[in-house]
Amino acid sequence: MYVAKHMTAPVVTVRADADYRSAFDLMRNAGVHHLPVVDAQGRLVGLVAQRDLLLAATRYQNAPVEIVEVMHRPVISAKADLLVVEAARLMMSHKIGCLPVVDADLNLQGIITESDLFSVFVRLLSGRGAAAARPPAAGMRAPGKAPARKRAARKAPARKRAARKR
C-alpha cells in the first residue's frame, strides 16, 4: 500500500506571507489541523499545525505576524510511492501528525495524516483488507465469540434454574 492511494489531495494550503490569523480562520473553515505553507510557485516551504496557531494567538494576540514566523521548517515530507507503513513509522519516530507529500521539486501533491492512517487501519481490521483475510493466530479467538468453556458455563446456571422450577 502506497501513500498516493491514501493521501488527501488536493490540499488546503497557506502562503508564507499570510497572516497567522487568516491561516487560523482557513484551518477552522476547512476543518483541518495542519496547513502546508507554500511559496508563490506552490513549493512546500513549511508546515503549521493548529497548536502552533493557538500558541501564536496567545503570544502575538492582535499583532500582524506572518505565518513564516510560526511555521515549522524544514518539513519532514514523503513521496507518493512511499509505503504507508513507512510513512507511519516516520510520523511515529518524529512525533508528527502528518506528512506533506511532494514530488522531486517539492511541489505539493497531497498530505497524509494520522486520520488517513487510522482509516487504513480500520479498513484492514474490518475485513476490507488483506490482514482481515487471515485466520486468528493459534490461541486467539474470532472477535465476538467466547471460548466453548465460557459458553457452556453461561448455560449451566440457566439449566439449574430450569431444573428447580420443575
Side-chain angles (χ1 to χ4, degrees):
M1 278 193 262
Y2 295 99
V3 165
K5 183 178 179 186
H6 302 285
M7 68 184 186
T8 300
V11 186
V12 178
T13 63
V14 64
R15 293 267 308 262
D17 58 354
D19 180 78
Y20 83 90
R21 289 174 295 174
S22 62
F24 191 73
D25 289 341
L26 177 63
M27 190 178 283
R28 188 177 54 234
N29 292 336
V32 296
H33 299 283
H34 304 92
L35 284 176
V37 182
V38 295
D39 63 13
Q41 289 76 38
R43 288 186 306 262
L44 183 67
V45 295
L47 183 75
V48 66
Q50 185 176 32
R51 176 185 52 214
D52 302 322
L53 296 178
L54 290 171
L55 288 171
T58 60
R59 179 177 292 155
Y60 302 114
Q61 297 175 359
N62 291 326
V65 176
E66 290 184 353
I67 206 72
V68 74
E69 297 295 323
V70 296
M71 72 182 188
H72 292 276
R73 62 181 159 195
V75 181
I76 298 167
S77 60
K79 303 282 189 235
D81 61 352
L82 183 68
L83 291 172
V84 169
V85 69
E86 291 303 320
R89 283 187 184 125
L90 194 58
M91 290 167 66
M92 286 174 42
S93 68
H94 291 282
K95 295 180 171 72
I96 55 177
C98 73
L99 287 171
V101 181
V102 296
D103 63 16
D105 296 323
L106 295 180
N107 293 309
L108 195 60
Q109 294 181 320
I111 190 167
I112 190 158
T113 66
E114 291 170 319
S115 296
D116 297 323
L117 295 177
F118 279 127
S119 295
V120 171
F121 181 68
V122 168
R123 277 195 301 275
L124 287 173
L125 291 180
S126 67
R128 291 182 269 156
R134 286 181 270 173
M140 300 294 288
R141 61 182 171 81
K145 194 157 190 176
R149 286 187 312 246
K150 286 189 179 180
R151 287 194 308 265
R154 278 191 240 141
K155 290 180 182 177
R159 284 189 205 128
K160 287 179 185 177
R161 283 193 302 268
R164 278 186 261 158
K165 287 183 181 177
R166 289 185 207 165

